[in-house]
Amino acid sequence: ATQTNSKKTLAKPNIRNIVVVDGVRIPFLQSGTSYKELMPHDLARAALLGLLHRTNVPKDVVDYIIFGTVIQEVKTSNVAREAALGAGFSDKTPAHTVTMACISANQAMTTGVGLIASGQCDVVVAGGVELMSDVPIRHSRKMRKMMLDLNKAKTLGQRLSLLSKFRLNFLSPELPAVAEFSTSETMGHSADRLAAAFAVSRLDQDEYALRSHSLAKKAQDEGLLSDVVPFKVPGKDTVTKDNGIRPSSLEQMAKLKPAFIKPYGTVTAANSSFLTDGASAMLIMAEEKALAMGYKPKAYLRDFVYVSQDPKDQLLLGPTYATPKVLEKAGLTMTDIDAFEFHEAFSGQILANLKAMDSDWFAQNYMGRKTKVGSPPLEKFNNWGGSLSLGHPFGATGCRLVMAAANRLRKEGGQYGLVAACAAGGQVCHSSCRGASGK
């Protein structure tokens, strides 16, 4: 435990203090399991209802609702609005949906922070949702064009003329892209190249993945994952816990074949995050509003930065670039941080970032900095598991990271937390928060 009263407050003059009252998530499940018959707004609604139940916040107090999502369900393109109405919020409460790949929930939270800091709102609910069990699969472009043209055709002759141009290959479906649009490379392939560039071995990656699953299992067994709320799936049993936590052995993990670069790659299904269904929600308030309502905040949201890198060669290196920026902005150093929560897309991505952060050469040659920022000590790093083990619903992970940091600070007696998540497009969000044990 740290001496929480000996450090700076990070409070800024003439800027409102913004607090996290609480946050919840429904259990994160492997895609194709208990949530597979539902729609995204069902999961988001369950997270909102869980938040209402946990905090007892009156619905009419909420000024604005923001949700992040990545692969949108066409029927509910503004999933935040549909989920809010389904959860019983007033139709007078505005809601919008944001998308920024794996940092969509981070974008929802920081948008809420901006609304409160600017005085536009006092109370914002931010969250995220993803349902990988059912993704939109489109007709081919040629088939779509023919169907639209048929809809406009006025005579039988026009329709028959269009139909005569039909070819069997029109029926081949168009799946959601798993590759970067700008580079045509999948993230897994990029992670494999990154691991090779930083000499991160297959064994290193498997050991880190085993650490993530083991810590997550321990946290789950000890009841530390208090942000998880049960969800009664319609027509099925109540889901109470994440189902992707599966500590294995290095021997079993070594048997898996490379998933992306074959046959010599090092990224496998065992050391990558899995496709996940889930949703999260968080109640963010201006400090004076929270205190007036009798709430004891869990954390203070202090600073955040977004950075973007080259999506070809530095797609997953964002945390290395963003860490020194957010620390300097907050007036902190690595030694001030008590709880690190980094998104684990791949073991290789985490380990490459830790190596880059600990390299003066990388700092000088790639970042234009004189010295390295330093690598987070593993004893403070993702202590309750991470995305490799808990799961990664693309649009919802950001809230999980912030709540993990906040709950760890409270449990471990720490003061400052640092949250980082990389995303497709070479982008990253970095946030600092302070536990609510003292300003």
Side-chain angles (χ1 to χ4, degrees):
T2 57
Q3 293 181 352
T4 56
N5 295 325
S6 63
K7 297 177 181 176
K8 289 175 295 183
T9 71
L10 303 196
K12 295 177 180 177
N14 304 319
I15 293 182
R16 307 171 91 187
N17 282 328
I18 298 165
V19 302
V20 176
V21 173
D22 214 335
V24 302
R25 61 184 178 91
I26 60 171
F28 287 179
L29 303 188
Q30 292 177 313
S31 64
T33 56
S34 295
Y35 298 157
K36 65 182 179 181
E37 305 296 337
L38 303 178
M39 289 178 66
H41 74 283
D42 295 318
L43 307 191
R45 179 180 63 220
L48 287 172
L49 290 171
L51 184 68
L52 290 171
H53 184 262
R54 173 72 60 90
T55 61
N56 291 314
V57 66
K59 296 190 190 85
D60 58 356
V61 170
V62 177
D63 298 315
Y64 209 103
I65 298 169
I66 313 163
F67 260 67
T69 196
V70 179
I71 300 179
Q72 292 186 332
E73 164 60 55
V74 181
K75 294 177 183 175
T76 56
S77 57
N78 186 2
V79 70
R81 177 66 168 168
E82 306 305 334
L85 292 174
F89 283 89
S90 166
D91 57 11
K92 305 294 188 293
T93 304
H96 81 263
T97 302
V98 295
T99 188
M100 200 175 181
C102 303
I103 52 176
S104 295
N106 305 69
Q107 183 59 255
M109 287 184 288
T110 55
T111 300
V113 167
L115 287 171
I116 296 172
S118 65
Q120 294 290 318
C121 299
D122 289 326
V123 182
V124 172
V125 170
V129 62
E130 209 68 42
L131 184 72
M132 295 304 294
S133 291
D134 180 32
V135 295
I137 299 172
R138 304 198 299 180
H139 282 293
S140 68
R141 184 76 180 252
K142 290 177 180 177
M143 189 66 186
R144 298 200 305 271
K145 184 178 184 303
M146 173 174 278
M147 292 166 80
L148 290 169
D149 288 344
L150 276 169
N151 198 43
K152 295 174 187 173
K154 291 183 170 59
T155 67
L156 180 61
Q158 288 175 332
R159 292 192 184 97
L160 290 173
S161 174
L162 284 167
L163 287 171
S164 70
K165 297 174 184 175
F166 172 78
R167 298 292 180 269
L168 208 55
N169 65 359
F170 286 17
L171 294 175
S172 74
E174 197 175 280
L175 300 172
V178 292
E180 288 288 310
F181 184 81
S182 58
T183 65
S184 300
E185 182 180 43
T186 65
M187 192 175 279
H189 196 284
S190 185
D192 222 324
R193 287 196 302 107
L194 186 68
F198 281 87
V200 179
S201 70
R202 166 77 180 267
L203 180 60
D204 290 338
Q205 293 174 62
D206 286 350
E207 285 177 344
Y208 183 83
L210 184 58
R211 172 190 187 269
S212 180
H213 280 272
S214 301
L215 289 175
K217 183 73 167 69
K218 184 172 183 288
Q220 189 179 64
D221 291 346
E222 293 177 4
L224 298 177
L225 304 179
S226 58
D227 57 331
V228 178
V229 293
F231 175 28
K232 173 67 175 74
V233 180
K236 296 185 180 179
D237 293 337
T238 299
V239 180
T240 59
K241 61 182 183 179
D242 308 319
N243 72 357
I245 303 173
R246 296 180 181 178
S248 181
S249 67
L250 290 174
E251 294 72 28
Q252 288 296 112
M253 296 166 81
K255 293 177 183 178
L256 294 182
K257 293 181 179 179
F260 300 99
I261 299 180
K262 302 169 183 179
Y264 303 114
T266 56
V267 174
T268 70
N271 56 43
S272 308
S273 54
F274 50 88
L275 295 179
T276 314
D277 301 334
S280 56
M282 179 184 293
L283 182 61
I284 305 171
M285 289 189 183
E287 181 189 29
E288 66 271 19
K289 181 73 171 181
L291 296 179
M293 293 184 67
Y295 287 115
K296 185 178 179 183
K298 276 206 167 178
Y300 288 74
L301 296 174
R302 286 306 189 198
D303 278 291
F304 63 87
V305 298
Y306 288 89
V307 302
S308 292
Q309 307 306 135
D310 170 18
K312 180 68 177 175
D313 291 324
Q314 299 185 327
L315 177 69
L316 300 166
L317 275 178
T320 299
Y321 285 84
T323 297
K325 288 189 176 183
V326 79
L327 288 175
E328 286 169 5
K329 192 175 181 188
L332 298 173
T333 66
M334 289 290 274
T335 54
D336 291 318
I337 305 300
D338 304 304
F340 293 89
E341 285 291 333
F342 279 32
H343 164 49
E344 301 169 345
F346 305 90
S347 288
Q349 157 253 332
I350 287 287
L351 296 174
N353 272 283
L354 296 186
K355 282 194 170 189
M357 292 167 77
D358 206 32
S359 167
D360 280 323
W361 181 87
F362 189 87
Q364 290 158 7
N365 287 275
Y366 283 91
M367 300 171 66
R369 305 182 68 86
K370 292 180 181 177
T371 57
K372 65 190 180 185
V373 66
S375 180
L378 276 182
E379 61 269 18
K380 296 181 179 181
F381 192 86
N382 291 11
N383 287 7
W384 295 353
S387 299
L388 289 170
S389 47
L390 299 170
H392 173 40
F394 301 146
T397 287
C399 289
R400 178 192 69 74
L401 292 169
V402 171
M403 287 315 303
N407 288 329
R408 277 183 54 202
L409 289 174
R410 176 168 285 200
K411 175 75 174 175
E412 298 164 5
Q415 187 173 19
Y416 295 119
L418 188 69
V419 171
C422 56
Q427 305 188 106
V428 69
C429 174
H430 235 75
S431 312
S432 67
C433 63
R434 186 189 59 72
S437 51
K439 283 190 213 168

